[in-house]
Amino acid sequence: MKKIIRQYILENLLFTEDEQALQDDDSFLDSGIIDSTGVMEVILFIEESFDIKVNDDEMLPANLDSVNNLAVFIHRKQAVAA
């Protein structure tokens, strides 16, 4: 899951294939990787890729601000849906 997320961020937001350009715990917001539009792109990506729905009250940095945060959030959403 982390590999899929990292690959998406690298290719679509950082426009690179350099794996070293992004660590799993790098903050997307603090690093300037994404802005509010980028957040929406990431949400659309994870909804489509992992078959989950991100509710408005879940659009928080704690859920969406790094590869690690996204992976934990997606895992939690999938576990609840199962």
Side-chain angles (χ1 to χ4, degrees), residues 68-82:
N68 284 336
N69 289 6
L70 279 167
V72 169
F73 174 68
I74 293 165
H75 180 71
R76 187 172 61 241
K77 290 289 285 190
Q78 290 175 331
V80 169

Side-chain angles (χ1 to χ4, degrees), residues 5 28 42 46 63-64 66-75:
I5 296 166
F28 301 148
V42 170
I46 64 170
N63 294 332
L64 307 171
S66 70
V67 172
N68 284 336
N69 289 6
L70 279 167
V72 169
F73 174 68
I74 293 165
H75 180 71

Side-chain angles (χ1 to χ4, degrees), residues 17 21 25-26 29 35 41 45 49 56 69 76:
E17 294 180 12
D25 59 350
D26 287 349
L29 297 171
D35 56 14
E41 290 177 36
F45 162 73
S49 298
D56 289 346
N69 289 6
R76 187 172 61 241

